[in-house]
């Protein structure tokens, strides 16, 4: 009993030490991977046509530049989903579970089952005028509660409801979200220290 082997003791301690170190490394690694998951940044394409006219989103107020991406905005509705650089067919999604309703609310629009509200007008689905939401080629009800998935294509059509017209409007949407998925946003929006490896490592350790 008393005779604990002098040689196994250090070995035991070494084994414990290695175990602890491996445990810590594993834990940090796991947290790092999970933290990485939170760094959402993907894109979708969309367009709104009202009575044959495409909404151009000309005002600068529709677009976010540096501000919405800065730390003081982090967690705000604007930082979660927005447009950049006067590109009016690309939605930038920076958070989990962002809906089309969130996006349109940010730009002062509203997308209901039978009512479309633009910045200055209200359009009601009422014969002969029809309000159609075409998401990835499929007619759906209101898109307000639908999560914006990467490379989604949304057409909001208000007007004749004519299939040919809807098809040509859909065709007019540049489907370039995949290309944007490969790129950083302007300014600090996606390339900031936020998502940087060392920042994430520090977050994972602390
Ligand atoms: Zn983006
Ligand atoms: Zn952005």
């Amino acid at each position: 009993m008393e005779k604990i082997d002098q040689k196994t003791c250090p070995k035991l301690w070494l084994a414990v030490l290695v175990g602890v170190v491996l445990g810590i490394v594993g834990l940090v690694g796991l947290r790092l991977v999970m933290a990485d998951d939170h760094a959402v940044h993907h894109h979708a394409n969309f367009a709104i046509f009202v009575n044959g006219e495409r909404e151009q989103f000309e005002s600068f107020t529709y677009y976010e530049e540096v501000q919405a991406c800065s730390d003081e905005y982090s967690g705000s509705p604007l930082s979660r989903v927005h447009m950049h650089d006067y590109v009016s067919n690309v939605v930038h999604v920076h958070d989990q579970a962002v809906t089309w309703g969130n996006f349109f609310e940010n730009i002062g629009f509203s997308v209901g089952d039978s009512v479309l509200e633009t910045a200055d007008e209200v359009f009601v689905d009422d014969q002969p005028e029809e309000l159609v939401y075409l998401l990835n080629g499929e007619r759906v009800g209101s898109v307000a509660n639908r999560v914006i998935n990467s490379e989604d294509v949304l057409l909001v059509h208000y007007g004749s409801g004519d299939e040919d017209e809807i098809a040509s409007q859909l065709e007019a949407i540049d489907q370039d979200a995949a290309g944007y998925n490969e790129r950083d946003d302007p300014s600090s929006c996606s390339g900031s220290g936020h998502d940087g490896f060392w920042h994430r490592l520090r977050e994972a350790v602390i």
Side-chain angles (χ1 to χ4, degrees):
M1 276 283 275
E2 226 175 74
K3 205 182 166 215
I4 291 172
D5 192 337
Q6 299 278 326
K7 280 181 190 164
T8 52
C9 234
K11 269 190 194 163
L12 195 69
W13 280 112
L14 192 69
V16 168
L17 193 70
V18 167
V20 167
V21 168
L22 280 181
I24 289 173
V25 168
L27 210 64
V28 167
L30 192 70
R31 290 187 63 172
L32 196 64
V33 169
M34 284 165 75
D36 197 20
D37 257 5
H38 288 294
V40 176
H41 183 212
H42 63 244
H43 304 84
N45 292 121
F46 85 108
I48 298 178
F49 283 82
V50 172
N51 295 323
E53 296 277 321
R54 184 167 183 169
E55 168 66 58
Q56 299 294 332
F57 298 104
E58 274 171 343
S59 166
F60 71 92
T61 56
Y62 290 122
Y63 305 91
E64 299 303 328
E65 298 315 326
V66 201
Q67 266 189 323
C69 321
S70 64
D71 274 349
E72 71 185 278
Y73 268 74
S74 81
S76 83
L78 270 183
S79 72
R80 301 180 72 216
V81 57
H82 46 242
M83 292 190 282
H84 281 295
D85 275 345
Y86 291 88
V87 177
S88 62
N89 69 315
V90 180
V91 180
H92 299 253
V93 179
H94 290 279
D95 202 358
Q96 321 239 15
V98 172
T99 63
W100 285 101
N102 294 145
F103 167 64
F104 284 114
E105 202 180 318
N106 277 350
I107 59 170
F109 282 49
S110 169
V111 283
D113 273 338
S114 53
V115 181
L116 167 68
E117 253 183 274
T118 65
D120 43 22
E121 266 182 280
V122 177
F123 302 95
V124 181
D125 183 307
D126 197 7
Q127 287 303 325
E129 253 73 57
E130 213 182 318
L131 177 60
V132 175
Y133 297 105
L134 204 70
L135 185 61
N136 301 323
E138 243 180 76
R139 280 191 189 227
V140 293
S142 169
V143 287
N145 293 322
R146 284 180 186 260
V147 168
I148 306 177
N149 290 311
S150 184
E151 297 175 42
D152 266 358
V153 179
L154 173 69
L155 169 68
V156 181
H157 165 98
Y158 182 80
S160 66
D162 178 75
E163 289 300 336
D164 288 343
E165 193 185 351
I166 289 175
S168 71
Q169 290 175 352
L170 181 63
E171 204 141 287
I173 304 175
D174 264 349
Q175 301 190 11
D176 53 3
Y180 278 87
N181 281 345
E182 305 295 315
R183 268 177 260 162
D184 279 348
D185 277 3
S187 311
S188 59
C189 218
S190 54
S192 72
H194 255 307
D195 307 331
F197 174 78
W198 292 112
H199 179 88
R200 282 191 283 118
L201 183 64
R202 215 181 62 208
E203 297 251 294
V205 173
I206 297 167

